[in-house]
Amino acid sequence: MVSVISELNDRSREIFRHIVDAYVETGEPIGSRTLSRRLGTTLSPATIRNVMADLEEVGLLFAPHTSAGRVPTEAGLRLFVDGLLEIGAISAQERQALDAQCAVRGRSLEQVLEEASSALSGLSGCAGMVMAPKREGALRQIEFIALGPNRALVVMVSTDGQVENRVLDLPPGLPPSALTTASNYLNARLTGQTLAETRAVVTAEMTAQRADLDSLTSRLVEQGLAVWAESEADRHDGYLIVRGQAHLLEDVTALGDLERIRGLFQALEAREGALRLLEAANAAEGVQIYIGAENPLFAQAGCSVVLAPYTNARDQIIGAIGVIGPTRLNYARIIPMVDYTAKLIGRILR
């Protein structure tokens, strides 16, 4: 594509840019006569037709109907995004809307991500998508809180802001002081470590009988760690949040197009394809753009995705956020919006 750009003269680039701009605005083909008026130059419709024919010959344009104007191909859109797109800056109003909707205000990370996805969907007029992998963040605190004679609440707080609760049955005869003892014992050993690392340390101490705990409190510690191990297993494949799916259906008129969009929803719900996108985001830096068939997940639906990774306090990529829409996305506006939201989530996690 870079070589194709270099081969285009200034006139061809200008005409091609206006064709793409018109397609983004309307989704409709544009003809040479309309384009001549839009350009406001001395170029005749005949001259513009010749340029359009040349652009079609190199695979940048195509005619959806015999007598219609031209629209960019997916290859043309890729060339435009990579070599001709002038990316704007996120507006102050959009920034304030994202800041307000993504504010933590005591919410869990998953709630914040849901709000971020909804905010992106609302501002872009497309579907917003957030992906997070299996939770492997370091722990900050574990507490056992009595709920009654035989039950306790286990509260785990991770360094990336996630808070989760689990209820467990207490060993018979456990004194109330054992809850505090168990909490103190675990908190002294988990600082900056993942649950798996903490479990390994605690298991080794108990096996070697180096844990300064009585038998009942040891059982409580083991039960608490077991409960959280089950919770980790629930998150083995990570999770996916999609908001604003209805936006993808607004321009759908043909039954075949509707079925393709439904197929995309099913693929997203299956998660496997979306998590492969997350892996791609992990392997690259900055905003990634997939246009139509460039990614198998979106090929059949004729959609594009703009995706950016977000990081935790240790600058590790732990998820990705993006926008799904038609290939005629307003890339110049949406790219900085996605980039800002990913960085905003990263700041929240610090």
Side-chain angles (χ1 to χ4, degrees):
M1 280 295 125
V2 174
S3 61
V4 174
I5 294 175
S6 63
E7 292 171 4
L8 297 180
N9 59 32
D10 291 342
R11 176 189 292 177
S12 297
R13 292 188 189 195
E14 185 67 11
I15 290 173
F16 180 64
R17 187 193 303 275
H18 277 274
I19 292 172
V20 175
D21 287 344
Y23 178 63
V24 168
E25 288 175 15
T26 68
E28 299 294 329
I30 185 169
S32 57
R33 194 170 300 278
T34 302
L35 191 54
S36 178
R37 291 195 297 267
R38 185 183 179 108
L39 285 167
T41 67
T42 57
L43 292 179
S44 68
T47 300
I48 293 174
R49 276 196 299 275
N50 289 335
V51 173
M52 292 170 75
D54 291 340
L55 293 171
E56 186 172 5
E57 187 174 345
V58 296
L60 301 182
L61 300 179
F62 78 101
H65 308 290
T66 304
S67 60
R70 302 294 186 270
V71 297
T73 62
E74 289 182 1
L77 288 172
R78 169 53 65 188
L79 178 141
F80 176 79
V81 167
D82 288 347
L84 300 175
L85 180 65
E86 296 178 0
I87 299 176
I90 184 171
S91 70
Q93 185 177 2
E94 290 168 341
R95 185 183 297 109
Q96 290 170 2
L98 287 165
D99 288 346
Q101 196 158 346
C102 298
V104 178
R105 292 197 297 270
R107 294 179 296 188
S108 69
L109 174 62
E110 189 163 351
Q111 290 172 323
V112 172
L113 294 179
E114 288 178 355
E115 290 295 334
S117 180
S118 297
L120 270 183
S121 173
L123 289 172
S124 67
C126 301
M129 175 174 63
V130 178
M131 294 172 286
K134 175 184 175 181
R135 188 188 62 223
E136 294 178 340
L139 302 178
R140 186 167 64 203
Q141 187 177 11
I142 291 180
E143 296 293 337
F144 295 89
I145 302 172
L147 294 178
N150 301 310
R151 305 184 84 196
L153 182 70
V154 193
V155 181
M156 184 177 79
V157 183
S158 62
T159 55
D160 60 11
Q162 295 187 76
V163 179
E164 292 197 34
N165 305 316
R166 290 290 184 276
V167 176
L168 78 160
D169 296 325
L170 298 176
L174 186 77
S177 60
L179 298 175
T180 302
T181 301
S183 298
N184 292 341
Y185 172 78
L186 286 173
N187 288 325
R189 286 155 179 78
L190 61 77
T191 305
Q193 298 190 95
T194 65
L195 179 60
E197 291 167 341
T198 300
R199 189 163 54 244
V201 170
V202 171
T203 301
E205 286 194 6
M206 289 184 171
T207 301
Q209 298 183 336
R210 292 197 305 268
D212 187 18
L213 301 171
D214 58 37
S215 60
L216 287 178
T217 308
S218 294
R219 285 177 58 192
L220 174 62
V221 168
E222 291 172 347
Q223 284 183 233
L225 291 176
V227 166
W228 285 113
E230 293 170 4
S231 173
E232 288 291 291
D234 292 340
R235 288 287 178 86
H236 180 71
D237 292 325
Y239 59 92
L240 171 71
I241 301 167
V242 181
R243 294 290 181 268
Q245 294 98 318
H247 288 307
L248 297 180
L249 301 174
E250 290 178 355
D251 294 333
V252 172
T253 55
L255 181 61
D257 292 338
L258 179 60
E259 290 303 316
R260 283 193 290 272
I261 295 296
R262 285 176 175 168
L264 173 61
F265 290 161
Q266 291 172 354
L268 289 173
E269 288 171 2
R271 295 194 229 179
E272 292 181 7
L275 291 173
R276 282 198 294 272
L277 271 182
L278 176 58
E279 292 173 0
N282 287 344
E285 293 184 4
V287 180
Q288 303 297 305
I289 302 153
Y290 302 92
I291 300 174
E294 291 178 350
N295 186 280
L297 181 62
F298 302 96
Q300 293 301 315
C303 291
S304 290
V305 60
V306 178
L307 189 72
Y310 58 87
T311 59
N312 60 12
R314 293 182 286 179
D315 290 324
Q316 297 171 321
I317 294 175
I318 61 169
I321 186 165
V323 163
I324 309 168
T327 55
R328 64 181 188 90
L329 278 176
N330 187 338
Y331 296 96
R333 177 171 174 262
I334 289 175
I335 289 172
M337 189 185 299
V338 170
D339 185 47
Y340 179 82
T341 307
K343 291 175 180 175
L344 174 61
I345 293 174
R347 290 198 299 271
I348 290 173
L349 297 181
R350 293 184 185 278

